[in-house]
Amino acid sequence: MDKVRNAVVDLLVQVEQDQSYSTISLKKVIEQQKWTAKDKGLLTELFYGTIQRKITIDFYLEPYIQKAKKIQPWVKQLLRISIYQMVFLDKIPDHAAIFEAVQIAKKRGHQGIAKFVNGILRNFQRNDLRSFEEIKDVDERMSVQYSIPKWMYQLFKEQYGVEKAQQISESILTAPSVSVRIQPNYLNQEQVKQLLLEEGVQTRESILSNRCLIVEEGNVFLSKAFEKGIVTIQDEASSLVAQVANLQPTNKVLDTCAAPGGKTTHIASYLEPSKGGHVDALDLYEHKLKKIQENAKRLQVDDCISMRVLDARNVQEAYPTESFDAVFVDAPCSGLGLVRRKPDIKYTKSLKDLKSLEKIQLEILLSASKMVKSKGSLVYSTCTINKAENRELVNQFLEENPAFGIEAIGKWIHKDTEDITILPNDFNSDGFYICKLVKKS
């Protein structure tokens, strides 16, 4: 039996039936077995690709299975990965995709299931693809064409207009890049690029962040530069959060929603413990703080980071008011800027979820603001592009907190704006929002 495709079928069943996180499920499977680099590549491509294109795949598949009685979950996933290969992958011939599917169906099921799978896939191969033009409702058509839930497409359209909504929806179907952030501030992009090249890792400079490189070839995780803490994995949009704060070596900093620690360790790179510079990192869960600890040790900044399990809405229970020069709130959010990287978000989130998050975000921001010293800064960020969780929420906060004002940071992305909104199609990075608030007195 083809172990790669069989593993993908199991993973897809897990994610859909048990609502497991795709990234965690895939990581476990990769760690549990000794896969070749080629197998890992195919496993990842089939798994994420099928999730990304699920709505489109089901549209193509529907006429061939509509008369079938109940289809077992694993059989449905087997058909999906086969259609994905036949429609979206050029390197795998149709006959190979069909053959492997039939073999898996035989071994996992019985001859009847194998015949059923073979019949559907052969029939699909013979016919032209269904046209999206069959769908009269325009929003529904866009939903199917871009494999995005209708409510999500409508949200993008309402907030950014038809053209941008289509650009966003199309861009999140493309594979995410691997971005590394340079940890030591005395090293620049060109220097680290050369270091990695010597180890067989080819990169290009990020045009969004001068602290990041985009990996084009090679395994950066196996490099000495990664092992020694010269680079760490962080999206280029996310790397701007610590930069916009303009931290000083002596600053006392609070990072309220810190895990897994990409921003915390970046913040720490600007601080000097010998001069009193320190960051307190908070998270709700102990196991997540352990991840920060591991990263901090590898990146050699553990001497200026303290960690505490604490709900960010209750910071006043642990710290005196106005005790930090800078406070960071990377708020729990809908994650709509991460759909390219975590495609299962499309199927696990709803409009109702978005509304409930806004209340939590505002509570965290209000609580964290009490920790900011006079003339200190409060940096609010999210990995969503939903305006209600971003600027609209900031405006709501400012109505209740006139002591704060916005410091313009648009220059960081070469825009004349007060805050930063990065759409997934702008730089092919994660979608992100950043706003820097300053306490006036």
Side-chain angles (χ1 to χ4, degrees), residues 225-254:
F226 184 83
E227 185 192 328
K228 290 178 177 176
I230 292 169
V231 295
T232 191
I233 300 297
Q234 188 175 4
D235 186 75
E236 44 192 326
S238 167
S239 80
L240 294 176
V241 177
Q243 293 181 64
V244 303
N246 290 321
L247 295 168
Q248 301 305 307
T250 55
N251 283 167
K252 289 193 165 37
V253 184
L254 180 66

PDB file of all heavy atoms in Angstrom, residues 225-254:
ATOM      1  N   ALA A 225      23.444  27.753  11.511  1.00  0.00           N
ATOM      2  CA  ALA A 225      22.910  29.094  11.790  1.00  0.00           C
ATOM      3  C   ALA A 225      21.626  28.996  12.610  1.00  0.00           C
ATOM      4  O   ALA A 225      21.385  29.813  13.507  1.00  0.00           O
ATOM      5  CB  ALA A 225      22.636  29.834  10.481  1.00  0.00           C
ATOM      6  N   PHE A 226      20.816  27.987  12.328  1.00  0.00           N
ATOM      7  CA  PHE A 226      19.587  27.782  13.107  1.00  0.00           C
ATOM      8  C   PHE A 226      19.928  27.232  14.489  1.00  0.00           C
ATOM      9  O   PHE A 226      19.440  27.728  15.506  1.00  0.00           O
ATOM     10  CB  PHE A 226      18.639  26.821  12.368  1.00  0.00           C
ATOM     11  CG  PHE A 226      17.317  26.622  13.058  1.00  0.00           C
ATOM     12  CD1 PHE A 226      16.274  27.531  12.885  1.00  0.00           C
ATOM     13  CD2 PHE A 226      17.110  25.540  13.904  1.00  0.00           C
ATOM     14  CE1 PHE A 226      15.054  27.354  13.544  1.00  0.00           C
ATOM     15  CE2 PHE A 226      15.898  25.361  14.568  1.00  0.00           C
ATOM     16  CZ  PHE A 226      14.875  26.269  14.375  1.00  0.00           C
ATOM     17  N   GLU A 227      20.795  26.233  14.512  1.00  0.00           N
ATOM     18  CA  GLU A 227      21.181  25.587  15.775  1.00  0.00           C
ATOM     19  C   GLU A 227      21.816  26.589  16.749  1.00  0.00           C
ATOM     20  O   GLU A 227      21.551  26.560  17.948  1.00  0.00           O
ATOM     21  CB  GLU A 227      22.178  24.458  15.453  1.00  0.00           C
ATOM     22  CG  GLU A 227      22.591  23.622  16.646  1.00  0.00           C
ATOM     23  CD  GLU A 227      23.778  22.717  16.326  1.00  0.00           C
ATOM     24  OE1 GLU A 227      23.909  22.267  15.166  1.00  0.00           O
ATOM     25  OE2 GLU A 227      24.574  22.473  17.249  1.00  0.00           O
ATOM     26  N   LYS A 228      22.641  27.491  16.206  1.00  0.00           N
ATOM     27  CA  LYS A 228      23.342  28.458  17.064  1.00  0.00           C
ATOM     28  C   LYS A 228      22.516  29.694  17.394  1.00  0.00           C
ATOM     29  O   LYS A 228      22.986  30.601  18.072  1.00  0.00           O
ATOM     30  CB  LYS A 228      24.641  28.890  16.378  1.00  0.00           C
ATOM     31  CG  LYS A 228      25.688  27.789  16.322  1.00  0.00           C
ATOM     32  CD  LYS A 228      26.931  28.267  15.591  1.00  0.00           C
ATOM     33  CE  LYS A 228      28.000  27.196  15.588  1.00  0.00           C
ATOM     34  NZ  LYS A 228      29.178  27.606  14.804  1.00  0.00           N
ATOM     35  N   GLY A 229      21.288  29.764  16.868  1.00  0.00           N
ATOM     36  CA  GLY A 229      20.413  30.882  17.193  1.00  0.00           C
ATOM     37  C   GLY A 229      20.660  32.145  16.392  1.00  0.00           C
ATOM     38  O   GLY A 229      20.240  33.230  16.788  1.00  0.00           O
ATOM     39  N   ILE A 230      21.310  31.995  15.238  1.00  0.00           N
ATOM     40  CA  ILE A 230      21.501  33.168  14.378  1.00  0.00           C
ATOM     41  C   ILE A 230      20.197  33.487  13.656  1.00  0.00           C
ATOM     42  O   ILE A 230      19.854  34.639  13.441  1.00  0.00           O
ATOM     43  CB  ILE A 230      22.663  32.930  13.374  1.00  0.00           C
ATOM     44  CG1 ILE A 230      23.985  32.857  14.138  1.00  0.00           C
ATOM     45  CG2 ILE A 230      22.705  34.023  12.304  1.00  0.00           C
ATOM     46  CD1 ILE A 230      25.162  32.370  13.324  1.00  0.00           C
ATOM     47  N   VAL A 231      19.467  32.417  13.288  1.00  0.00           N
ATOM     48  CA  VAL A 231      18.150  32.622  12.668  1.00  0.00           C
ATOM     49  C   VAL A 231      17.093  31.804  13.388  1.00  0.00           C
ATOM     50  O   VAL A 231      17.395  30.802  14.041  1.00  0.00           O
ATOM     51  CB  VAL A 231      18.143  32.234  11.162  1.00  0.00           C
ATOM     52  CG1 VAL A 231      19.045  33.132  10.352  1.00  0.00           C
ATOM     53  CG2 VAL A 231      18.477  30.759  10.947  1.00  0.00           C
ATOM     54  N   THR A 232      15.858  32.245  13.248  1.00  0.00           N
ATOM     55  CA  THR A 232      14.714  31.510  13.793  1.00  0.00           C
ATOM     56  C   THR A 232      13.544  31.671  12.829  1.00  0.00           C
ATOM     57  O   THR A 232      13.505  32.632  12.053  1.00  0.00           O
ATOM     58  CB  THR A 232      14.352  32.021  15.211  1.00  0.00           C
ATOM     59  OG1 THR A 232      13.407  31.123  15.797  1.00  0.00           O
ATOM     60  CG2 THR A 232      13.765  33.429  15.183  1.00  0.00           C
ATOM     61  N   ILE A 233      12.610  30.744  12.884  1.00  0.00           N
ATOM     62  CA  ILE A 233      11.459  30.812  11.978  1.00  0.00           C
ATOM     63  C   ILE A 233      10.483  31.881  12.477  1.00  0.00           C
ATOM     64  O   ILE A 233      10.048  31.847  13.627  1.00  0.00           O
ATOM     65  CB  ILE A 233      10.728  29.441  11.902  1.00  0.00           C
ATOM     66  CG1 ILE A 233      11.681  28.349  11.389  1.00  0.00           C
ATOM     67  CG2 ILE A 233       9.495  29.539  11.012  1.00  0.00           C
ATOM     68  CD1 ILE A 233      12.208  28.554   9.991  1.00  0.00           C
ATOM     69  N   GLN A 234      10.191  32.832  11.625  1.00  0.00           N
ATOM     70  CA  GLN A 234       9.169  33.841  11.928  1.00  0.00           C
ATOM     71  C   GLN A 234       8.724  34.489  10.628  1.00  0.00           C
ATOM     72  O   GLN A 234       9.561  34.813   9.774  1.00  0.00           O
ATOM     73  CB  GLN A 234       9.691  34.916  12.896  1.00  0.00           C
ATOM     74  CG  GLN A 234       8.580  35.856  13.377  1.00  0.00           C
ATOM     75  CD  GLN A 234       9.054  36.844  14.439  1.00  0.00           C
ATOM     76  OE1 GLN A 234      10.226  36.901  14.795  1.00  0.00           O
ATOM     77  NE2 GLN A 234       8.149  37.642  14.955  1.00  0.00           N
ATOM     78  N   ASP A 235       7.420  34.669  10.470  1.00  0.00           N
ATOM     79  CA  ASP A 235       6.927  35.293   9.253  1.00  0.00           C
ATOM     80  C   ASP A 235       7.410  36.742   9.193  1.00  0.00           C
ATOM     81  O   ASP A 235       7.525  37.415  10.226  1.00  0.00           O
ATOM     82  CB  ASP A 235       5.401  35.245   9.194  1.00  0.00           C
ATOM     83  CG  ASP A 235       4.880  35.760   7.862  1.00  0.00           C
ATOM     84  OD1 ASP A 235       4.976  35.036   6.863  1.00  0.00           O
ATOM     85  OD2 ASP A 235       4.399  36.909   7.821  1.00  0.00           O
ATOM     86  N   GLU A 236       7.679  37.204   7.982  1.00  0.00           N
ATOM     87  CA  GLU A 236       8.236  38.553   7.808  1.00  0.00           C
ATOM     88  C   GLU A 236       7.283  39.637   8.296  1.00  0.00           C
ATOM     89  O   GLU A 236       7.718  40.664   8.832  1.00  0.00           O
ATOM     90  CB  GLU A 236       8.646  38.776   6.343  1.00  0.00           C
ATOM     91  CG  GLU A 236       7.626  38.288   5.351  1.00  0.00           C
ATOM     92  CD  GLU A 236       8.121  38.240   3.907  1.00  0.00           C
ATOM     93  OE1 GLU A 236       8.916  39.089   3.493  1.00  0.00           O
ATOM     94  OE2 GLU A 236       7.658  37.351   3.184  1.00  0.00           O
ATOM     95  N   ALA A 237       5.965  39.429   8.137  1.00  0.00           N
ATOM     96  CA  ALA A 237       5.000  40.432   8.625  1.00  0.00           C
ATOM     97  C   ALA A 237       5.042  40.506  10.150  1.00  0.00           C
ATOM     98  O   ALA A 237       5.071  41.582  10.742  1.00  0.00           O
ATOM     99  CB  ALA A 237       3.593  40.081   8.147  1.00  0.00           C
ATOM    100  N   SER A 238       5.091  39.347  10.779  1.00  0.00           N
ATOM    101  CA  SER A 238       5.142  39.267  12.239  1.00  0.00           C
ATOM    102  C   SER A 238       6.405  39.913  12.808  1.00  0.00           C
ATOM    103  O   SER A 238       6.410  40.451  13.917  1.00  0.00           O
ATOM    104  CB  SER A 238       5.064  37.794  12.644  1.00  0.00           C
ATOM    105  OG  SER A 238       5.393  37.601  13.968  1.00  0.00           O
ATOM    106  N   SER A 239       7.493  39.877  12.033  1.00  0.00           N
ATOM    107  CA  SER A 239       8.770  40.410  12.526  1.00  0.00           C
ATOM    108  C   SER A 239       8.766  41.928  12.674  1.00  0.00           C
ATOM    109  O   SER A 239       9.661  42.507  13.285  1.00  0.00           O
ATOM    110  CB  SER A 239       9.918  40.002  11.591  1.00  0.00           C
ATOM    111  OG  SER A 239       9.950  40.834  10.457  1.00  0.00           O
ATOM    112  N   LEU A 240       7.754  42.592  12.100  1.00  0.00           N
ATOM    113  CA  LEU A 240       7.683  44.055  12.217  1.00  0.00           C
ATOM    114  C   LEU A 240       7.202  44.503  13.600  1.00  0.00           C
ATOM    115  O   LEU A 240       7.436  45.635  14.005  1.00  0.00           O
ATOM    116  CB  LEU A 240       6.739  44.629  11.151  1.00  0.00           C
ATOM    117  CG  LEU A 240       7.175  44.494   9.686  1.00  0.00           C
ATOM    118  CD1 LEU A 240       6.090  45.019   8.764  1.00  0.00           C
ATOM    119  CD2 LEU A 240       8.480  45.246   9.438  1.00  0.00           C
ATOM    120  N   VAL A 241       6.521  43.611  14.320  1.00  0.00           N
ATOM    121  CA  VAL A 241       5.891  43.986  15.601  1.00  0.00           C
ATOM    122  C   VAL A 241       6.911  44.539  16.591  1.00  0.00           C
ATOM    123  O   VAL A 241       6.722  45.615  17.152  1.00  0.00           O
ATOM    124  CB  VAL A 241       5.117  42.793  16.216  1.00  0.00           C
ATOM    125  CG1 VAL A 241       4.534  43.175  17.577  1.00  0.00           C
ATOM    126  CG2 VAL A 241       4.000  42.336  15.282  1.00  0.00           C
ATOM    127  N   ALA A 242       8.003  43.791  16.807  1.00  0.00           N
ATOM    128  CA  ALA A 242       9.022  44.265  17.755  1.00  0.00           C
ATOM    129  C   ALA A 242       9.760  45.487  17.214  1.00  0.00           C
ATOM    130  O   ALA A 242      10.154  46.365  17.978  1.00  0.00           O
ATOM    131  CB  ALA A 242      10.020  43.146  18.056  1.00  0.00           C
ATOM    132  N   GLN A 243       9.904  45.554  15.891  1.00  0.00           N
ATOM    133  CA  GLN A 243      10.658  46.657  15.283  1.00  0.00           C
ATOM    134  C   GLN A 243       9.974  48.013  15.474  1.00  0.00           C
ATOM    135  O   GLN A 243      10.635  49.011  15.747  1.00  0.00           O
ATOM    136  CB  GLN A 243      10.868  46.393  13.789  1.00  0.00           C
ATOM    137  CG  GLN A 243      11.774  45.199  13.515  1.00  0.00           C
ATOM    138  CD  GLN A 243      11.985  44.966  12.031  1.00  0.00           C
ATOM    139  OE1 GLN A 243      12.560  45.801  11.349  1.00  0.00           O
ATOM    140  NE2 GLN A 243      11.526  43.841  11.524  1.00  0.00           N
ATOM    141  N   VAL A 244       8.653  48.053  15.315  1.00  0.00           N
ATOM    142  CA  VAL A 244       7.950  49.345  15.376  1.00  0.00           C
ATOM    143  C   VAL A 244       7.985  49.966  16.767  1.00  0.00           C
ATOM    144  O   VAL A 244       7.755  51.166  16.922  1.00  0.00           O
ATOM    145  CB  VAL A 244       6.472  49.236  14.892  1.00  0.00           C
ATOM    146  CG1 VAL A 244       6.393  48.685  13.488  1.00  0.00           C
ATOM    147  CG2 VAL A 244       5.601  48.434  15.858  1.00  0.00           C
ATOM    148  N   ALA A 245       8.294  49.171  17.782  1.00  0.00           N
ATOM    149  CA  ALA A 245       8.302  49.692  19.162  1.00  0.00           C
ATOM    150  C   ALA A 245       9.506  50.577  19.449  1.00  0.00           C
ATOM    151  O   ALA A 245       9.503  51.329  20.427  1.00  0.00           O
ATOM    152  CB  ALA A 245       8.254  48.537  20.150  1.00  0.00           C
ATOM    153  N   ASN A 246      10.560  50.480  18.602  1.00  0.00           N
ATOM    154  CA  ASN A 246      11.793  51.248  18.835  1.00  0.00           C
ATOM    155  C   ASN A 246      12.301  51.069  20.268  1.00  0.00           C
ATOM    156  O   ASN A 246      12.520  52.035  21.004  1.00  0.00           O
ATOM    157  CB  ASN A 246      11.577  52.740  18.536  1.00  0.00           C
ATOM    158  CG  ASN A 246      11.403  52.990  17.050  1.00  0.00           C
ATOM    159  OD1 ASN A 246      12.073  52.372  16.231  1.00  0.00           O
ATOM    160  ND2 ASN A 246      10.487  53.873  16.705  1.00  0.00           N
ATOM    161  N   LEU A 247      12.482  49.826  20.654  1.00  0.00           N
ATOM    162  CA  LEU A 247      12.894  49.514  22.022  1.00  0.00           C
ATOM    163  C   LEU A 247      14.318  49.974  22.315  1.00  0.00           C
ATOM    164  O   LEU A 247      15.177  49.979  21.436  1.00  0.00           O
ATOM    165  CB  LEU A 247      12.784  47.998  22.264  1.00  0.00           C
ATOM    166  CG  LEU A 247      11.360  47.431  22.198  1.00  0.00           C
ATOM    167  CD1 LEU A 247      11.396  45.909  22.164  1.00  0.00           C
ATOM    168  CD2 LEU A 247      10.515  47.916  23.369  1.00  0.00           C
ATOM    169  N   GLN A 248      14.540  50.336  23.572  1.00  0.00           N
ATOM    170  CA  GLN A 248      15.858  50.759  24.048  1.00  0.00           C
ATOM    171  C   GLN A 248      16.451  49.656  24.942  1.00  0.00           C
ATOM    172  O   GLN A 248      15.692  48.902  25.575  1.00  0.00           O
ATOM    173  CB  GLN A 248      15.759  52.062  24.841  1.00  0.00           C
ATOM    174  CG  GLN A 248      15.170  53.224  24.046  1.00  0.00           C
ATOM    175  CD  GLN A 248      15.930  53.489  22.745  1.00  0.00           C
ATOM    176  OE1 GLN A 248      17.138  53.661  22.762  1.00  0.00           O
ATOM    177  NE2 GLN A 248      15.216  53.498  21.623  1.00  0.00           N
ATOM    178  N   PRO A 249      17.784  49.557  25.026  1.00  0.00           N
ATOM    179  CA  PRO A 249      18.410  48.475  25.812  1.00  0.00           C
ATOM    180  C   PRO A 249      17.951  48.398  27.262  1.00  0.00           C
ATOM    181  O   PRO A 249      17.959  47.329  27.875  1.00  0.00           O
ATOM    182  CB  PRO A 249      19.905  48.819  25.744  1.00  0.00           C
ATOM    183  CG  PRO A 249      20.048  49.635  24.502  1.00  0.00           C
ATOM    184  CD  PRO A 249      18.780  50.409  24.361  1.00  0.00           C
ATOM    185  N   THR A 250      17.526  49.547  27.819  1.00  0.00           N
ATOM    186  CA  THR A 250      17.155  49.601  29.247  1.00  0.00           C
ATOM    187  C   THR A 250      15.670  49.318  29.504  1.00  0.00           C
ATOM    188  O   THR A 250      15.239  49.284  30.658  1.00  0.00           O
ATOM    189  CB  THR A 250      17.450  51.006  29.794  1.00  0.00           C
ATOM    190  OG1 THR A 250      16.754  51.959  28.973  1.00  0.00           O
ATOM    191  CG2 THR A 250      18.934  51.310  29.763  1.00  0.00           C
ATOM    192  N   ASN A 251      14.897  49.135  28.452  1.00  0.00           N
ATOM    193  CA  ASN A 251      13.429  49.024  28.604  1.00  0.00           C
ATOM    194  C   ASN A 251      12.970  47.791  29.385  1.00  0.00           C
ATOM    195  O   ASN A 251      13.537  46.704  29.263  1.00  0.00           O
ATOM    196  CB  ASN A 251      12.758  48.991  27.229  1.00  0.00           C
ATOM    197  CG  ASN A 251      12.667  50.352  26.571  1.00  0.00           C
ATOM    198  OD1 ASN A 251      12.381  50.451  25.386  1.00  0.00           O
ATOM    199  ND2 ASN A 251      12.908  51.424  27.325  1.00  0.00           N
ATOM    200  N   LYS A 252      11.923  48.024  30.174  1.00  0.00           N
ATOM    201  CA  LYS A 252      11.215  46.924  30.821  1.00  0.00           C
ATOM    202  C   LYS A 252       9.956  46.694  29.989  1.00  0.00           C
ATOM    203  O   LYS A 252       9.174  47.612  29.760  1.00  0.00           O
ATOM    204  CB  LYS A 252      10.873  47.281  32.259  1.00  0.00           C
ATOM    205  CG  LYS A 252      12.106  47.299  33.138  1.00  0.00           C
ATOM    206  CD  LYS A 252      11.793  47.334  34.607  1.00  0.00           C
ATOM    207  CE  LYS A 252      13.002  46.987  35.465  1.00  0.00           C
ATOM    208  NZ  LYS A 252      14.283  47.485  34.968  1.00  0.00           N
ATOM    209  N   VAL A 253       9.787  45.454  29.511  1.00  0.00           N
ATOM    210  CA  VAL A 253       8.746  45.144  28.531  1.00  0.00           C
ATOM    211  C   VAL A 253       7.838  44.027  29.030  1.00  0.00           C
ATOM    212  O   VAL A 253       8.299  43.077  29.674  1.00  0.00           O
ATOM    213  CB  VAL A 253       9.393  44.719  27.181  1.00  0.00           C
ATOM    214  CG1 VAL A 253       8.327  44.480  26.122  1.00  0.00           C
ATOM    215  CG2 VAL A 253      10.391  45.768  26.701  1.00  0.00           C
ATOM    216  N   LEU A 254       6.556  44.143  28.707  1.00  0.00           N
ATOM    217  CA  LEU A 254       5.587  43.083  29.010  1.00  0.00           C
ATOM    218  C   LEU A 254       5.024  42.558  27.689  1.00  0.00           C
ATOM    219  O   LEU A 254       4.526  43.322  26.868  1.00  0.00           O
ATOM    220  CB  LEU A 254       4.446  43.644  29.881  1.00  0.00           C
ATOM    221  CG  LEU A 254       3.347  42.644  30.280  1.00  0.00           C
ATOM    222  CD1 LEU A 254       3.907  41.563  31.209  1.00  0.00           C
ATOM    223  CD2 LEU A 254       2.182  43.367  30.969  1.00  0.00           C
TER     224      LEU A 254
END
